Amino acid sequence: MKYILSLLLLAIVMAIPACAKSGDPIKYDITSAGSGTQGTYLVRVYVYSKSAKVTDQQIKYGAVHGVLFRGFQGKPSAPALAGSSVVEEQKADYFAAFFDEDKGSYQNYASIVPGSYERIKTGKGYKVGAIVQVNKEKLRQDLASAGIIRGLSNGF
């Protein structure tokens, strides 16, 4: 009996790290970085990581995800484009493909401003940031045409 319990405990202990790595969402902060060109948002995104290696895709993910579901504070500030994170849960199939690491279309709406990278060592790892320009007009149009959010012309 002790042998079976110890094997079971060993299996559980080995399974916990595997589950934690695969489902960890990207942790990020998003704030305004000033005024962008017409039809875009200019935001500063910080991605938190245990190592100093953060990819451009992770920074772009933070920018687009933040614009869609969190909004951002600063001058200027903006509410979440999709309204709330409830939309992400309701349209989970669409957003799983939209935010796919390899071929997700979210990358088409964001571009990192050259020379704006920043790495800050924190007590638990690193905070890596950059200024990102997000094409809000194209993002809004494409999500409205896919039926994810309401278009501006549907409000009246």
Side-chain angles (χ1 to χ4, degrees):
M1 186 67 164
K2 288 182 183 179
Y3 180 72
I4 294 172
L5 286 175
S6 59
L7 281 176
L8 184 61
L9 182 62
L10 179 64
I12 291 172
V13 169
M14 292 182 76
I16 289 174
C19 292
K21 286 184 182 178
S22 64
D24 282 348
I26 295 174
K27 294 180 178 128
Y28 67 90
D29 286 331
I30 183 171
T31 58
S32 176
S35 297
T37 59
Q38 185 173 356
T40 66
Y41 287 134
L42 201 57
V43 294
R44 177 169 293 282
V45 177
Y46 285 104
V47 175
Y48 295 91
S49 174
K50 292 182 181 177
S51 70
K53 294 184 180 183
V54 172
T55 64
D56 287 354
Q57 288 81 7
Q58 290 172 313
I59 293 174
K60 288 179 180 181
Y61 169 89
V64 174
H65 191 271
V67 165
L68 280 174
F69 303 114
R70 289 187 184 178
F72 54 89
Q73 299 298 316
K75 295 214 184 254
S77 63
L81 193 63
S84 71
S85 60
V86 174
V87 175
E88 184 178 19
E89 294 169 9
Q90 291 172 342
K91 308 287 185 175
D93 292 339
Y94 177 84
F95 286 114
F98 184 79
F99 286 116
D100 183 58
E101 285 182 30
D102 297 326
K103 54 187 176 218
S105 60
Y106 72 94
Q107 296 180 46
N108 299 332
Y109 303 101
S111 59
I112 297 174
V113 175
S116 66
Y117 286 96
E118 221 179 333
R119 282 184 179 32
I120 302 169
K121 185 157 177 57
T122 64
K124 296 180 180 180
Y126 290 87
K127 176 174 140 174
V128 181
I131 296 175
V132 182
Q133 184 172 357
V134 178
N135 189 337
K136 69 176 177 179
E137 292 302 320
K138 179 124 177 73
L139 181 60
R140 181 191 312 266
Q141 289 171 356
D142 291 350
L143 291 176
S145 67
I148 304 300
I149 61 173
R150 291 177 49 192
L152 292 176
S153 61
N154 295 344
F156 300 102

